[in-house]
Amino acid sequence: MNVQIEESWRQRLQPEFDKDYFRTLTDFVRSEYAHGPVYPPGRLIFNAFNLCPFDQVKVVLIGQDPYHEPGQAQGLCFSVNDGVPFPPSLVNIFKEIKNDIGTDVPTSGSLVRWAQQGVLLLNATLTVRAHQAGSHQGRGWETFTDAVIRILADEREHLVFLLWGAYAQRKGNFIDPNRHLLLASPHPSPLSASRGFFGNKHFSRTNEYLRLHGKQPIVW
């Protein structure tokens, strides 16, 4: 199957694209887009990959679902388009950055700038039906994104994996902690942020690790 995705990723993920589960997933997703609003816009389904080629990945941030309300999702976990009010989890992410490294809260909730610096903003499920959180779970996206994480964990060294919440932590179960830095904490949602997301210092710890291994830190 010919999937429109950045070339370095296409080369590594072509075996997944040729599997039966991915063909079934593609048929499902096409049908969903044909029958009603689905997010993100089709051209942005693989935005995380297109903005952050394989060899440029330094940090992997794992989310769960795209945002499911109009105008929010842009194919990058936790990120929203310019001008869109910050969702609660993103508000808390910016609060922790401010408390951790002193960077003021930005005017835009778009995290494109992170992606362009080597942060793969990967949702476990890459599409969602409008107004229906979790509506595209269990259709094959999780198998695909597990393969993405496994390829990164096996072929690269000294990456930082940010695992916020139990769901993301399960996605990272097979990553070798001797080869990469795994930073786990509760999720930044208002339901759990006060139980250990605030104060996790993941942003400064990420940059310390990148510097230690000769990589440019992220300008959060």
Side-chain angles (χ1 to χ4, degrees):
M1 178 175 292
N2 183 25
V3 175
Q4 299 301 309
I5 192 171
E6 191 274 333
E7 181 61 20
S8 66
W9 283 108
R10 189 195 63 76
Q11 292 174 9
R12 288 167 177 86
L13 294 171
Q14 191 62 51
E16 295 302 309
F17 299 149
D18 290 337
K19 290 179 179 177
D20 287 344
Y21 88 85
F22 197 86
R23 296 177 190 276
T24 302
L25 169 63
T26 300
D27 290 343
F28 166 74
V29 169
R30 283 176 176 156
S31 174
E32 288 284 283
Y33 274 92
H35 286 94
V38 175
Y39 302 122
R43 71 185 187 283
L44 298 179
I45 291 174
F46 295 108
N47 199 26
F49 302 90
N50 295 334
L51 290 174
C52 190
F54 181 83
D55 291 326
Q56 294 179 24
V57 176
K58 296 187 282 191
V59 180
V60 182
L61 175 54
I62 299 174
Q64 191 164 351
D65 255 6
Y67 294 122
H68 51 81
E69 296 302 325
Q72 291 182 308
Q74 57 176 191
L76 308 172
C77 69
F78 295 105
S79 180
V80 291
N81 287 301
D82 289 340
V84 175
F86 301 171
S89 290
L90 188 57
V91 169
N92 287 339
I93 289 169
F94 289 147
K95 282 182 181 177
E96 176 57 23
I97 291 172
K98 171 71 171 174
N99 292 334
D100 184 10
I101 60 177
T103 301
D104 287 335
V105 174
T107 56
S108 171
S110 173
L111 303 181
V112 166
R113 64 190 184 280
W114 291 6
Q116 292 171 334
Q117 294 178 78
V119 183
L120 183 68
L121 296 162
L122 181 67
N123 275 315
T125 303
L126 299 190
T127 55
V128 68
R129 197 177 301 147
H131 317 301
Q132 297 183 43
S135 51
H136 286 187
Q137 292 178 7
R139 295 288 187 161
W141 279 130
E142 296 91 342
T143 301
F144 173 72
T145 51
D146 277 351
V148 170
I149 295 166
R150 193 177 299 279
I151 289 168
L152 282 164
D154 290 349
E155 294 191 22
R156 298 288 308 280
E157 290 188 340
H158 307 312
L159 299 179
V160 180
F161 289 86
L162 299 176
L163 308 173
W164 297 340
Y167 185 91
Q169 287 157 29
R170 287 193 297 272
K171 291 284 281 187
N173 274 342
F174 53 78
I175 301 168
D176 183 352
N178 296 311
R179 188 167 178 169
H180 305 284
L181 178 63
L182 278 60
L183 295 178
S185 81
H187 194 275
S189 81
L191 297 175
S192 56
S194 62
R195 298 203 297 266
F197 177 79
F198 290 137
N200 66 21
K201 297 191 179 299
H202 281 186
F203 303 97
S204 59
R205 292 170 67 187
T206 292
N207 281 349
E208 287 168 10
Y209 184 82
L210 293 176
R211 288 191 193 95
L212 180 65
H213 294 284
K215 301 178 183 182
Q216 278 289 112
I218 305 299
V219 179
W220 300 107

